[in-house]
């Protein structure tokens, strides 16, 4: 059916609740949207979350509202999916907004900044602390509106061919790492490399690159890096709780009846939780597999973490001098970070610590 | 407009070939359910989550499906709300299932067992690891079906008039603590006390009791315990990630059209996340207030935690000998606990640790 005629009828029905609206009653409000995912379908926890969005929306509307997912490259390349939603080529993108950080560093904040919030902290700040509202202000002249749609939890720091212990060991390191983390690491001598997922293994094997970061055990295990770069570093301090957004074409979203807008927000929040549950479950299984395959777990040294932290802070201060939107969002996030990491170090951290000690002792 | 004619037409239009129950399609329109919360409306993070469920379901159905919340005592007492849903007095209960642990200890598992999973671990195990399916098997002959509907995160250990340092200090301690934790602490000499929320302050002030546990900073701050029992212990090892369930009267749930069943599950998962976000945000704010009011943070000593852990394990072993359903669910949870607390001590824990150190140093 013609979407416009449905929407105008719905608007009439909504404002005149006592008046019969036979046009709606007799015609099924069929909406069919397309979603461009930033992820390939070989990464089911990431790509599958957009399919889950479509499934839940369709079920809750008895099939009336369909959102069909396309994986990276099917309609547009993964990096272009937000642009495609803004242009109306598709109505939705499933997109880690930091892919756009080069356009404006504000885009990095809703996914993850180095030394930003953990997954729970991000959820709390984005939804309760006004973070997502600020992001939508930023998006308002870009033809988009977004809601959190997934989180990986804290990621790993990646796979290294050799051990690295000091800041000196970073100098000249050819590290496949993107975005903001690359900008920070560059100042410490790293040579960031850009490689698509399918090319990493061969480059690592040949030694064209020295290291690569990816996501965490569940995704990393599929790519077999353990065989050519067995030192598996943690934590991925640039992605302490990486969030993915559903970005909607704003005119299309604004034209929806109110009930569908509300439903979309509810479904987004449900699948936002779903991705973290999936990662928490699957990473727990996959880590054991990786250890059996020979992964050598290594923590980044305090020296390296401290240098990266201070460099990140310097970068934020520089950007804040010239970018008021970045400064506003960043300052809001840091204000909450200070409160959140005070609270969470009390009950949550001490509970976890005790349980981890029991786990190590085999007492669970 | 006539909603019934709209909905039945929509249902017929949707999947005409698949519709086998025209009676439902024609009767579907106006559903009004009542929900009995286990919580008073003075605890907005807990009680408010059931209102949020009703709001989201109503919005997504354009008002067709209404679920009205009643706080503890309005229809039935908070402890009776699950029974009321099973009997059909109400269609839904919002209920921490461990309130029923005295009927069968299986009821304790879906909320929290002492030294059980944290909030993220519970979400992963309940939804991905089969925990909630096992719970619903247990519920199947009790007229109920349930889905996770909130989590408080790790709770505090409560307010104490005097410091306690050793297991000896627990002997004779009159501690307002309920459920399974009381059973464990009793073996260590504690005298568990049952008091309703409104009576705790006066009893603490008079010294009729020595200590009380409640929830965490956000809820506790409202009750003013800091003035009469300033030692605020952590962690609440009996509630490392306390989950609350929505329990539906099973015949009422089974009679719903499939689209409403799916919608309810989606909304439950969304508000399950909502409660944790609310607590993570509000607790972060409230802890600072409590510290300004004179709260003295104290960790439970390793001696006390270790004794409580071992006693809990002994209790689980005893119950497992005679209760196969408990054994099955408990064993499943512990199997996941072992994997989860291995994985989470890698990236997540080290990231959090580094960030907490920065917080303490004022470097964030």
């Amino acid at each position: 059916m013609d979407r416009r005629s449905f929407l105008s009828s719905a608007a009439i029905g909504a404002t005149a609740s006592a008046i019969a609206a036979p046009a709606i009653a007799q015609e099924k409000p069929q909406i069919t949207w397309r979603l461009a995912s930033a992820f390939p379908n070989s990464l089911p926890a990431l790509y599958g979350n957009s399919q889950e969005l479509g499934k839940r929306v369709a079920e809750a509307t008895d099939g009336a509202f369909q959102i069909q997912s396309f994986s990276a490259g099917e309609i547009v390349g993964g990096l272009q999916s937000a642009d495609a939603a803004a242009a109306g080529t598709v109505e939705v993108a499933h997109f880690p907004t930091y892919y756009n950080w080069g356009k404006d560093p504000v885009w990095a904040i809703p996914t993850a900044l180095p030394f930003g919030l953990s997954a729970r902290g991000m959820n709390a700040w984005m939804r309760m602390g006004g973070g997502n509202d600020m992001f939508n202000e930023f998006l308002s002249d870009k033809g988009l509106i977004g809601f959190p749609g997934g989180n990986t939890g804290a990621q790993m720091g990646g796979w290294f061919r050799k051990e690295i212990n000091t800041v000196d060991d970073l100098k000249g390191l050819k590290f496949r790492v993107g975005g903001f983390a690359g900008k920070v690491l560059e100042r410490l001598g790293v040579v960031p490399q850009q490689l698509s997922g399918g090319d990493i293994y061969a480059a690592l094997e040949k030694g064209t690159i020295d290291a690569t970061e990816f996501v965490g055990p569940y995704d990393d295990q599929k790519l077999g890096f353990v065989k050519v770069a067995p030192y598996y570093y943690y934590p991925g301090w640039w992605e302490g709780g990486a969030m993915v957004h559903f970005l909607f074409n704003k005119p299309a979203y604004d034209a929806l009846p109110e009930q569908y807008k509300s439903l979309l927000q509810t479904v987004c929040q449900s699948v936002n939780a779903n991705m973290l549950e999936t990662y928490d479950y699957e990473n727990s299984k996959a880590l054991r597999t990786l250890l059996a395959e020979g992964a050598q777990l290594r923590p980044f040294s305090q020296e390296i973490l401290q240098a990266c932290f201070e460099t990140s802070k310097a970068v934020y201060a520089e950007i804040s001098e010239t970018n008021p939107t970045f400064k506003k969002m960043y300052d809001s996030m840091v204000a909450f970070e200070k409160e959140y990491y005070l609270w969470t170090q009390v009950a949550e951290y001490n509970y976890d610590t005790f349980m981890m000690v029991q786990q190590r002792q085999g007492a669970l």
Side-chain angles (χ1 to χ4, degrees), chain A:
Chain A
M1 78 176 269
D2 178 344
R3 187 182 301 132
R4 277 169 299 181
S5 70
F6 158 62
L7 289 171
S8 57
S9 299
I12 292 163
T15 54
S17 58
I19 297 169
I24 296 175
Q26 287 157 19
E27 282 193 64
K28 187 155 163 19
Q30 195 71 39
I31 295 179
T32 303
W33 277 6
R34 300 195 305 170
L35 178 150
S37 173
F39 309 108
N41 59 17
S42 56
L43 297 174
L46 292 165
Y47 178 63
N49 221 42
S50 63
Q51 295 177 300
E52 195 63 30
L53 175 91
K55 177 173 179 284
R56 292 175 187 201
V57 169
E59 285 177 358
T61 60
D62 206 14
F65 190 176
Q66 300 279 345
I67 302 175
Q68 190 183 355
S69 286
F70 294 87
S71 62
E74 283 195 275
I75 297 177
V76 291
L79 296 172
Q80 281 75 50
S81 54
D83 289 345
T89 311
V90 297
E91 288 81 7
V92 198
H94 193 219
F95 189 73
T97 65
Y98 66 179
Y99 279 5
N100 275 354
W101 80 278
K103 297 184 183 189
D104 186 324
V106 169
W107 284 97
I109 301 175
T111 309
L113 285 181
F115 304 103
L117 288 157
S118 66
R120 278 175 57 175
M122 270 299 275
N123 283 339
W125 176 66
M126 288 294 278
R127 295 187 48 91
M128 303 290 299
N132 206 57
D133 291 341
M134 282 185 271
F135 180 48
N136 278 328
E137 275 174 42
F138 169 77
L139 290 180
S140 63
D141 66 356
K142 295 172 182 62
L144 292 168
I145 181 169
F147 303 104
N151 200 303
T152 63
Q155 297 192 10
M156 292 294 284
W159 300 88
F160 291 69
R161 286 162 54 97
K162 292 182 190 159
E163 291 185 77
I164 53 161
N165 297 304
T166 66
V167 173
D168 264 356
D169 294 343
L170 295 175
K171 294 198 172 35
L173 189 84
K174 284 171 291 196
F175 185 25
R176 187 261 181 193
V177 59
F180 228 105
K183 189 179 173 76
V184 171
L185 285 163
E186 210 166 24
R187 296 196 182 188
L188 295 166
V190 167
V191 188
Q193 308 286 311
Q194 307 290 336
L195 280 178
S196 73
D199 297 330
I200 304 172
Y201 185 92
L204 263 184
E205 191 175 29
K206 279 188 244 165
T208 316
I209 61 173
D210 303 306
T212 185
E213 65 96 37
F214 204 61
V215 183
Y218 178 56
D219 294 323
D220 295 9
Q221 196 267 336
K222 296 186 208 307
L223 297 181
F225 300 135
V226 63
K227 282 175 269 176
V228 287
Y231 299 104
Y232 197 22
Y233 274 83
Y234 60 88
W237 45 264
W238 49 92
E239 292 176 294
M243 183 171 267
V244 183
H245 268 68
F246 288 107
L247 299 175
F248 298 94
N249 175 271
K250 194 156 189 308
Y253 179 86
D254 286 345
L256 289 175
E258 291 304 317
Q259 75 180 96
Y260 283 2
K261 288 183 193 168
S262 175
L263 175 64
L264 275 183
Q265 292 193 36
T266 294
V267 174
C268 284
Q269 192 180 14
S270 77
V271 299
N272 184 57
N274 205 62
M275 189 191 287
L276 188 60
E277 291 163 9
T278 303
Y279 271 114
D280 283 342
Y281 185 76
E282 298 293 356
N283 280 334
S284 298
K285 305 270 170 197
L287 180 62
R288 291 212 161 173
T289 307
L290 281 170
L291 293 174
E293 290 174 356
Q296 304 286 316
L297 290 176
R298 292 289 183 276
F300 283 126
S301 66
Q302 287 301 303
E303 180 193 327
I304 287 176
L305 286 177
Q306 196 65 41
C308 293
F309 178 77
E310 284 162 19
T311 306
S312 300
K313 284 286 186 188
V315 171
Y316 303 144
E318 286 168 26
I319 296 169
S320 293
E321 278 177 22
T322 58
N323 188 326
T325 305
F326 182 92
K327 181 173 176 6
K328 181 182 162 191
M329 280 189 78
Y330 176 74
D331 288 353
S332 166
M333 188 193 77
V334 170
F336 182 63
E337 242 184 356
K338 290 176 184 172
E339 292 174 335
Y340 178 73
Y341 282 117
L342 171 62
W343 157 237
T344 202
Q345 76 190 256
V346 181
E348 200 79 39
Y349 186 77
N350 280 274
Y351 187 77
D352 283 345
T353 301
F354 184 82
M355 295 303 288
M356 289 168 190
V357 170
Q358 304 305 316
Q359 189 279 332
R360 289 209 171 197
Q361 294 176 345
L364 287 182

